[in-house]
Amino acid sequence: MQLTFSIHSAGAWSPNYQELTDWQAWPDKTETEDLKLAVPKLPQVPTMQRRRYSKLTKMLLDVAFQCEAPANCRTIFASRHGELNRTVDLLQEIIQNQPISPIGFSQSVHNTASGIFSILTDNRAPSTSIAAAQITLEQALIEAYGQLCEDNSSLLLVYGDEPVADIYKAYTHEPELPIALALQLSLDNPEAAGAMGLTIDTQPEASEQENTPQIGYGELLHAIASKQLLHGRLNQFIWQITP
């Protein structure tokens, strides 16, 4: 099955490439120790609020703001691991018989960023949270396609993850993290000014999978930022970007 979208705006963040336009230079930037520790600045949020958020929440909020989506548009927030690292910290506090932070506890749920985004933007439209292991981004796009088939008004999809705590690193291998991206989507509309096309084949033939070059998030975000043609396999899905 092919899912076809129009991308009306996008946002992206990683320690090396902190805005969508930075991804035009991918992969030429050299990583430094300072960049490894980078966290989105979020100037839209008052300092006292911002300092309470986890790094993942800041990443997701940052890319959502980059999109400049219409007010009260529907949102889908997707993350494989969610606030796992914050939950691990809370469990460590329990083990050490330390009091648990009420703020840490309240923001340890999977839809933390979704709830905070809706409060900051006074967005009362429906929001969905997705977690689907390695294919979380693709499952979020499938959810977006279903929602847009019912109502083709603006929809904001936000995806992100950061490396898991050391105790879980033996069970996962995701070298491209931390990373976050956001896409303002509608169903394919060739007449939409400035929009890019995005097509995902969710059930490609085995021969097509074998003959399609593998890509990562870097190639995907570079193509979106540079408005370049892209055809490649990410996980078991075939992706195509058309300027």
Side-chain angles (χ1 to χ4, degrees):
M1 180 178 180
Q2 287 195 336
L3 312 181
T4 306
F5 303 91
S6 286
I7 302 175
H8 300 278
S9 63
W13 190 94
S14 78
N16 272 29
Y17 308 93
Q18 298 182 12
E19 295 181 1
L20 184 65
T21 53
D22 294 340
W23 286 91
Q24 295 175 8
W26 181 92
D28 297 333
K29 220 167 184 180
T30 302
E31 185 176 55
T32 66
E33 289 301 319
D34 288 343
L35 283 175
K36 287 181 181 179
L37 301 175
V39 176
K41 296 181 174 62
L42 281 184
Q44 306 91 338
V45 182
T47 303
M48 288 301 293
Q49 286 179 260
R50 187 173 63 237
R51 64 190 295 271
R52 300 172 182 174
Y53 302 158
S54 70
K55 180 175 180 178
L56 177 65
T57 292
K58 292 176 182 177
M59 288 163 52
L60 297 175
L61 292 175
D62 187 82
V63 295
F65 285 133
Q66 286 184 41
C67 272
E68 298 182 344
N72 283 312
C73 72
R74 293 162 296 164
T75 58
I76 296 173
F77 279 75
S79 176
R80 177 181 183 179
H81 304 298
E83 298 290 344
L84 176 63
N85 290 341
R86 174 160 276 188
T87 302
V88 169
D89 290 342
L90 292 173
L91 292 173
Q92 293 291 350
E93 290 175 357
I94 293 173
I95 291 172
Q96 297 167 11
N97 292 320
Q98 298 295 320
I100 295 176
S101 162
I103 293 174
F105 181 77
S106 67
Q107 295 186 13
S108 64
V109 295
H110 197 273
N111 62 337
T112 294
S114 169
I116 292 174
F117 181 75
S118 68
I119 293 169
L120 292 173
T121 59
D122 195 26
N123 186 337
R124 305 188 184 198
S127 184
T128 305
S129 292
I130 298 288
Q134 291 180 329
I135 58 171
T136 292
L137 175 57
E138 290 82 358
Q139 289 295 333
L141 284 161
I142 292 171
E143 171 68 20
Y145 188 82
Q147 291 192 25
L148 290 168
C149 284
E150 294 186 354
D151 176 3
N152 198 28
S153 60
S154 292
L155 183 149
L156 179 63
L157 187 155
V158 185
Y159 166 79
D161 261 312
E162 60 177 331
V164 297
D166 290 343
I167 194 171
Y168 288 113
K169 283 186 176 177
Y171 306 102
T172 183
H173 178 65
E174 295 169 305
E176 294 185 90
L177 303 183
I179 200 166
L181 67 97
L183 303 170
Q184 183 192 340
L185 301 169
S186 71
L187 295 184
D188 184 35
N189 181 7
E191 298 180 0
M196 288 178 288
L198 167 62
T199 301
I200 299 177
D201 190 344
T202 62
Q203 295 176 313
E205 299 288 340
S207 59
E208 185 179 4
Q209 284 204 40
E210 292 175 2
N211 296 322
T212 301
Q214 186 171 358
I215 61 172
Y217 295 126
E219 288 93 340
L220 177 64
L221 291 173
H222 174 70
I224 293 173
S226 305
K227 297 188 176 181
Q228 293 181 356
L229 183 68
L230 174 73
H231 182 78
R233 173 171 52 86
L234 181 58
N235 297 322
Q236 70 262 43
F237 299 86
I238 306 298
W239 293 64
Q240 182 168 308
I241 299 288
T242 52

